[in-house]
């Protein structure tokens, strides 16, 4: 199932793309499965700077990605003294860093490893927060500039939304 979900990214007609890599199993599986795709430009790792060891962890992830022969860029964020809304601010900062990088390199597509289980979790959280019909649609598999202005000119692709976490782990 994973290979079928990713088949469009092996096409010769697709635009250059980058993959957001956290270093976790989901993003590493996505990266591994697409490591030979002709239009893969690079992997992007974000160091949020929220823990003392975060830069060391980012460097470790970079070494693992580069061992697959993939160009890798660590993007760093300095959070400063945050008092509230840490998750939302970190998410916006992450997409801002990756969006800036993609625009500067003329990379129109950014892939993330969000999967079927993430989709279910997103819907539960949205329903708990009283979402309307728009939120009930869940995450889009592909959306142009879904977070403005952070991802302006970039299409966010989630090719694994039809793939379960267990299928990713089996891969």
């Amino acid at each position: 199932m994973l290979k079928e979900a990713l088949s469009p990214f092996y096409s010769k007609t697709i635009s250059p793309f980058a993959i957001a890599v956290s270093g976790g199993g989901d993003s590493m599986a996505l990266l591994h499965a697409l490591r030979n795709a002709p239009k893969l430009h690079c992997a992007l790792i974000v160091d949020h700077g929220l823990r003392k060891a975060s830069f060391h962890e980012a460097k470790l992830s970079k070494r693992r990605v580069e061992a697959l022969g993939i160009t890798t860029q660590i993007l760093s964020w300095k959070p400063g003294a945050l008092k509230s809304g840490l998750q939302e601010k970190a998410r916006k900062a992450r997409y801002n860093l990756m969006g800036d990088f993609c625009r500067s390199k003329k990379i129109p597509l950014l892939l993330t490893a969000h999967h079927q289980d993430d989709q279910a979790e997103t819907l539960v959280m949205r329903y708990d927060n009283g979402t309307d019909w728009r939120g009930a649609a869940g995450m889009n598999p592909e959306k142009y500039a879904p977070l403005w202005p952070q991802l302006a000119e970039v299409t966010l692709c989630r090719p694994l939304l039809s793939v379960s976490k267990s299928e990713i782990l089996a891969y």
Side-chain angles (χ1 to χ4, degrees):
M1 184 71 173
L2 186 123
K3 288 282 191 182
E4 289 125 14
L6 299 176
S7 64
F9 294 94
Y10 287 103
S11 168
K12 300 278 185 207
T13 60
I14 197 161
S15 300
F17 63 92
I19 299 178
V21 176
S22 67
D26 302 336
S27 62
M28 291 302 288
L30 176 63
L31 187 71
H32 187 271
L34 290 174
R35 69 191 179 282
N36 296 318
K39 296 291 185 169
L40 173 58
H41 186 275
C42 66
L44 300 177
I45 298 169
V46 175
D47 170 18
H48 289 91
L50 297 173
R51 295 179 320 284
K52 284 185 180 184
S54 68
F55 186 68
H56 172 72
E57 293 164 357
K59 285 174 53 176
L60 176 62
S61 293
K62 181 177 181 178
R63 284 194 301 274
R64 289 178 176 160
V65 172
E66 288 178 340
L68 296 172
I70 299 166
T71 302
T72 309
Q73 182 72 40
I74 296 176
L75 309 171
S76 297
W77 180 53
K78 305 292 183 233
L82 297 176
K83 296 187 190 308
S84 65
L86 178 63
Q87 292 296 326
E88 180 63 15
K89 288 175 183 165
R91 183 176 82 83
K92 284 184 177 178
R94 178 171 57 248
Y95 283 121
N96 190 55
L97 288 165
M98 292 188 292
D100 285 347
F101 181 89
C102 288
R103 281 187 297 279
S104 74
K105 302 293 183 188
K106 300 193 180 345
I107 302 169
L109 303 175
L110 175 64
L111 277 61
T112 67
H114 292 109
H115 49 75
Q116 201 173 58
D117 299 47
D118 293 326
Q119 180 77 290
E121 180 183 2
T122 296
L123 287 171
V124 168
M125 288 189 304
R126 287 181 181 178
Y127 280 119
D128 284 350
N129 290 325
T131 191
D132 63 8
W133 62 270
R134 286 173 287 254
M139 291 185 282
N140 289 308
E142 189 172 300
K143 183 147 176 101
Y144 178 76
L147 187 62
W148 193 266
Q150 291 85 354
L151 289 176
E153 302 175 35
V154 177
T155 298
L156 184 65
C157 300
R158 299 177 180 112
L160 300 180
L161 283 183
S162 64
V163 181
S164 71
K165 173 85 170 179
S166 60
E167 290 171 298
I168 293 170
L169 291 175
Y171 172 83

